[in-house]
Structure formats: C-alpha cells, structure tokens
Amino acid sequence: GENVEQHPSTLSVQEGDSAVIKCTYSDSASNYFPWYKQELGKRPQLIIDIRSNVGEKKDQRIAVTLNKTAKHFSLHITETQPEDSAVYFCAASISSVNRDDKIIFGKGTRLHILP
Amino acid sequence: GAGVSQTPSNKVTEKGKYVELRCDPISGHTALYWYRQSLGQGPEFLIYFQGTGAADDSGLPNDRFFAVRPEGSVSTLKIQRTERGDSAVYLCASSSGQSNEQFFGPGTRLTVL
C-alpha cells in the first residue's frame, strides 16, 4: 500500500524566513497531494493541495511543488509569521475528480517560528 | 453551515469495555472517513464509506473494530473489548465527492485505562 515519508520531523525558522517541508510517496498511482495544518488540540485543516497534472501551485505565502518522476513533493512557506507555528502533514491519495478516496498521511513536521 | 461534528469529545473507559464513537458529516457529503491519531503521529486511515457501504476497511486493525453508516449520513465507530493501545484521538472526515477535500471533525479523545 501507499507509504508517505515526511521530513524533517521538527523545523525551527526565524520569523520572516522561509520554511520547506519535504515528502516522498511510494505508490506511483497517487494523484492527489493535500497538505494539512494542525494546531495544538485542533482538527487538521487543508491549507493547499496539488494534483498530479501540475508541477507547482501557489497560494499567497504558501506553495507546493510536485515531482512525479521522483515521487517527491514539497511545501514552501515564505515570510513566515508566528501564526504559522503548527504541525504540518503531507498526504497522498488516489482520487479522481468524481471519486474520493482515503488519504495516507506523513508523520508530520512540527514547525516553530522563532521571534 | 455546520461542519463535521463528533461525539463524545472525550471518552474514558476501562480495558475490556465496549465503546461507540459518533460522527455527523457535513450535510450532503457522500464520503465519510475514520482515522486514528496517536500522539505525535499523523492520522492513520481506518475505514471509508461511500454512501452506506464501506468502500475500504483495510485500515481497521483487527476484528474488535467495526463501523456502520446505515442511512448514508451519521456513522458510528464501534470498538469491542477495548485495550490500552486503543487510546488515541479518533478523527472523522467527510468529503463531497466533487473536490477531493476532506473536512475533519474535532475528534474524540479515547482513553482506555
């Protein structure tokens, strides 16, 4: 079955700097890659997602890149702010536009934004 | 509109007891998922419903775990003969089948003493 590896497990960056989280997946059939942010004691919330037919997607300070050949995808957060501190999960799924499927999550990256 | 809701928010039980955890998905969402999240880990897939039927139950750890969704809306996750290793936050999510985005509930924190 699908396996998603995520690193680093912990990341500390100075406020205003960029943060990068990297993931790899094992199942070449995976075609949907969401990223979730989870604050302490809260539910996971989708922050950005990408499908396999594109290589990059950007939403304000957040961008995700996908390399299907290498089965790598990454989250980039620029101009980090204190409210970016949270645990971030990458995930992979075999989903089509009209059919959802289970999501396999990485183990998470705890991001600390230092003042 | 209302998001995904789960009850109870916390459940403490003794080893060997039976528990039921409930999930109310977003109205109209056809797909419903159960995940389990242990401390410091990512959500782990358990089971997924498309309508009333279980489309994929490959993540259920053993036959003590069972889930139903009899009317295609509310779902109940049932755990028999609970063990201390079952302690975790049980998350429910739903999706509309149109965008792939899964919306999560607040979770039920299960503690087995």
Side-chain angles (χ1 to χ4, degrees):
Chain A
E2 175 68 279
N3 183 50
V4 176
E5 299 286 339
Q6 180 173 351
H7 60 96
S9 57
T10 305
L11 177 61
S12 296
V13 301
Q14 211 68 39
E15 182 178 349
D17 288 350
S18 296
V20 180
I21 301 170
K22 299 184 179 183
C23 291
T24 60
Y25 62 98
S26 61
D27 191 338
S28 57
S30 292
N31 58 7
Y32 174 64
F33 306 92
W35 287 85
Y36 282 82
K37 176 182 180 182
Q38 187 175 33
E39 297 177 354
L40 189 63
K42 302 288 182 63
R43 70 191 77 188
Q45 294 202 308
L46 182 75
I47 54 170
I48 194 167
D49 56 13
I50 190 168
R51 300 186 189 282
S52 57
N53 57 345
V54 299
E56 184 173 358
K57 183 177 179 181
K58 190 172 182 181
D59 183 3
Q60 299 183 342
R61 298 187 295 108
I62 295 173
V64 58
T65 59
L66 171 64
N67 182 331
K68 281 216 66 164
T69 303
K71 293 190 277 189
H72 289 177
F73 57 118
S74 300
L75 178 72
H76 305 252
I77 306 174
T78 58
E79 301 172 16
T80 52
Q81 300 171 2
E83 54 265 35
D84 295 331
S85 294
V87 179
Y88 291 81
F89 294 99
C90 63
S93 177
I94 303 172
S95 299
S96 63
V97 172
N98 296 315
R99 185 182 182 281
D100 293 340
D101 206 337
K102 66 188 179 190
I103 288 176
I104 303 301
F105 286 84
K107 290 186 184 298
T109 296
R110 184 171 298 277
L111 176 63
H112 299 275
I113 306 302
L114 306 172
Chain B
V4 179
S5 62
Q6 292 185 246
T7 54
S9 55
N10 280 284
K11 176 69 177 179
V12 180
T13 191
E14 294 180 342
K15 180 175 178 295
K17 299 290 189 183
Y18 168 82
V19 296
E20 289 189 352
L21 312 179
R22 175 186 167 111
C23 173
D24 279 89
I26 293 173
S27 177
H29 278 193
T30 55
L32 184 148
Y33 311 79
W34 284 99
Y35 295 87
R36 177 169 71 175
Q37 187 173 26
S38 300
L39 193 64
Q41 300 293 315
E44 172 193 8
F45 170 74
L46 297 177
I47 185 170
Y48 145 52
F49 290 88
Q50 189 65 248
T52 60
D56 185 344
D57 65 357
S58 62
L60 294 178
N62 50 60
D63 61 6
R64 295 186 297 106
F65 289 74
F66 189 71
V68 295
R69 195 187 185 200
E71 297 177 358
S73 179
V74 171
S75 176
T76 304
L77 178 66
K78 308 180 181 194
I79 310 174
Q80 298 178 323
R81 304 183 303 280
T82 52
E83 299 177 357
R84 292 193 181 89
D86 298 336
S87 297
V89 174
Y90 288 80
L91 292 164
C92 175
S94 70
S95 63
S96 65
Q98 296 177 359
S99 71
N100 300 142
E101 179 177 356
Q102 294 186 18
F103 294 84
F104 281 83
T108 293
R109 181 176 298 279
L110 176 65
T111 303
V112 182
L113 302 177

